[in-house]
Amino acid sequence: MTTPASSGTEKPASQSPDGELTPTLQPVMVGDIRVDPPLFLAPMAGVTDRDFRLIVRRIGGVGVVSMEFVSSKAIMSGNRKTRELMVFSEEERPLAIQIYGSSPEIMADAARVVEELGADICDINMGCPANKVLKGCAGAALMGDLGLAERIIRQVRAAISIPLTVKFRLGLNDKQRNFIELGKICQDSGVQAVAVHGRTARQMFSGEADWEQIARLKDALTLPVIGNGDITKPEHAERFLRRSGCDGLMIGRGATRNPWIFRQIDAHLSGGAVAQPTLEDRRDLILGHFRMVADREPSKFALHKLRKFTGWYTHGLPGGRNLRRQIQQLPDVPSFLSAVEQFFDEALVEDANRAA
Ligand SMILES: Cc1cc2nc3c(=O)[nH]c(=O)nc-3n(C[C@H](O)[C@H](O)[C@H](O)COP(=O)(O)O)c2cc1C
């Protein structure tokens, strides 16, 4: 197994009950940005907005938070909504802004805007499998045209001085798994780190992320490799690091159901106790998040968002399904908030009765 590259002060490895050494989380340098712990919140369109990024950051244990991807064309056409999406607060740092597109010139211009806005890291999306993005020859489509991918990476790299990262998949499909080639292009073009999701674009989210392939990429490159795909528990993080030797982990869907995951992984790999969120923690998280959304968004969008996040946050809670069903019918934000409050009041009473 490869040992994770590290920088800064080495943290001691701890011993697991079976006598094996547990991999430790060593800080990783992405250019001049020290990422400690090396745990990344994955960019997720419609999810990693300002509110969710702040929630994850305030819970703690996360090294870098990523903004949902932004179209380079929309940035350069001055699209108001896009510019609003790109607002972030100091508290979120270090923060990565991810851009996508197929024109090297427009991507370079958009990257300049990302730098001017003060992002810590500029990230290029070369992994999005959505048809809308593929049709514009952006996202994962660039894995089918490595010449264009390289031109984009080089022009963007030359346009900015902040660290540049590239996020991609294993390839377009099983027959075209060219992630190692793309990784080498990134390395030779001055990119500071890569993140790879262990699936092909054709797979979308089906099957399992192939951690062995991520390990091959790590072995083939000298720049930091951040592994991504299907890490939803601290034990997964441990197994993943043991198998891949990657320099860091990126977590997407696991954080939507459990925004505490970064803190839990950090604790687990430091040999500490992994605290499970209590019902009160969950209630405060949901209500706090919902008030943030409701304060800012027009109510139609707020409700849509609240339903989506409630589905995730109540996953696995006793009675959670009933609440999810009930909130589909509720007409406005206040009735939504009171239904959630009532659900947790009752759950807390039941919990106390069980404990008595
Ligand atoms: C709702 C959703 C939106 C996503 N949006 C993006 C995106 O904007 N940019 C990107 O690079 N990947 C995006 N992804 C992919 C994730 O960043 C990540 O690579 C993928 O979910 C695998 O990691 P996971 O198993 O930890 O979720 C998205 C995934 C989901 C579920």
Side-chain angles (χ1 to χ4, degrees):
M1 198 210 65
T2 351
T3 317
S6 61
S7 22
T9 325
E10 294 268 320
K11 294 178 185 170
S14 58
Q15 199 124 26
S16 69
D18 57 13
E20 268 197 84
L21 280 185
T22 304
T24 50
L25 290 174
Q26 304 294 341
V28 62
M29 295 302 293
V30 176
D32 58 353
I33 303 290
R34 186 171 197 267
V35 182
D36 183 15
L39 303 175
F40 294 68
L41 170 66
M44 286 183 284
V47 179
T48 54
D49 59 10
R50 207 179 327 170
D51 299 331
F52 190 68
R53 295 192 306 267
L54 265 181
I55 281 168
V56 170
R57 181 59 83 192
R58 284 175 183 165
I59 289 176
V62 69
V64 164
V65 297
S66 309
M67 197 175 275
E68 49 198 312
F69 69 176
V70 230
S71 147
S72 54
K73 266 195 199 155
I75 295 176
M76 294 324 295
S77 66
N79 183 295
R80 188 178 54 85
K81 277 204 152 159
T82 301
R83 290 300 180 104
E84 277 170 16
L85 264 186
M86 296 174 83
V87 173
F88 62 91
S89 61
E90 287 301 306
E91 200 185 338
E92 295 179 42
R93 292 185 188 282
L95 163 114
I97 296 187
Q98 187 188 60
I99 54 175
Y100 72 93
S102 58
S103 151
E105 292 73 29
I106 298 176
M107 284 289 278
D109 287 342
R112 279 190 200 97
V113 173
V114 167
E115 179 164 34
E116 278 162 23
L117 288 175
D120 299 290
I121 296 170
C122 178
D123 182 44
I124 300 180
N125 179 315
M126 295 202 174
C128 178
N131 274 336
K132 197 179 90 183
V133 174
L134 292 180
K135 272 190 202 142
C137 201
L142 291 167
M143 296 197 80
D145 187 346
L146 292 188
L148 178 58
E150 180 166 359
R151 286 202 299 284
I152 290 175
I153 294 166
R154 286 190 181 275
Q155 289 213 26
V156 170
R157 184 54 290 171
I160 54 175
S161 57
I162 56 174
L164 175 65
T165 57
V166 180
K167 178 168 179 283
F168 49 89
R169 288 190 174 224
L170 297 181
L172 275 180
N173 53 49
D174 267 347
K175 291 203 182 84
Q176 277 179 283
R177 287 182 166 220
N178 53 2
F179 59 105
I180 293 190
E181 231 177 311
L182 179 53
K184 287 189 172 157
I185 288 174
C186 290
Q187 184 162 289
D188 295 343
S189 309
V191 164
Q192 275 63 46
V194 293
V196 63
H197 174 190
R199 287 185 175 84
T200 63
R202 168 69 65 80
Q203 277 181 289
M204 307 284 276
F205 289 93
S206 67
E208 279 179 13
D210 190 339
W211 293 352
E212 302 303 330
Q213 300 305 317
I214 300 179
R216 286 184 56 217
L217 183 68
K218 169 63 195 160
D219 281 341
L221 301 182
T222 53
L223 88 175
V225 175
I226 313 304
N228 168 239
D230 298 349
I231 299 165
T232 56
K233 292 191 172 123
E235 305 80 60
H236 296 169
E238 178 182 343
R239 221 177 314 141
F240 175 81
L241 283 178
R242 215 188 276 290
R243 261 155 76 171
S244 71
C246 271
D247 305 282
L249 304 175
M250 180 176 271
I251 296 173
R253 291 164 298 168
T256 59
R257 286 186 180 169
N258 176 16
W260 291 271
I261 185 152
F262 300 97
R263 210 171 67 183
Q264 292 175 336
I265 292 176
D266 194 20
H268 178 69
L269 294 178
S270 313
V274 174
Q276 294 302 331
T278 61
L279 269 176
E280 282 96 337
D281 290 335
R282 281 192 191 275
R283 180 197 57 199
D284 295 349
L285 165 80
I286 297 180
L287 294 176
H289 188 170
F290 293 175
R291 292 205 176 92
M292 278 162 126
V293 175
D295 278 352
R296 211 164 29 80
E297 305 247 11
S299 79
K300 197 175 76 177
F301 296 110
L303 269 178
H304 175 71
K305 230 178 215 178
L306 298 189
R307 288 193 186 108
K308 185 168 72 177
F309 278 96
T310 304
W312 290 325
Y313 290 163
T314 59
H315 184 82
L317 283 188
R321 187 176 293 170
N322 288 344
L323 174 69
R324 291 194 287 276
R325 206 173 294 136
Q326 186 193 353
I327 58 175
Q328 295 308 321
Q329 326 292 334
L330 297 175
D332 52 33
V333 173
S335 53
F336 191 99
L337 288 175
S338 67
V340 171
E341 270 167 13
Q342 193 185 338
F343 169 81
F344 277 97
D345 285 348
E346 287 168 12
L348 282 165
V349 170
E350 274 173 36
D351 219 33
N353 289 342
R354 259 197 304 274

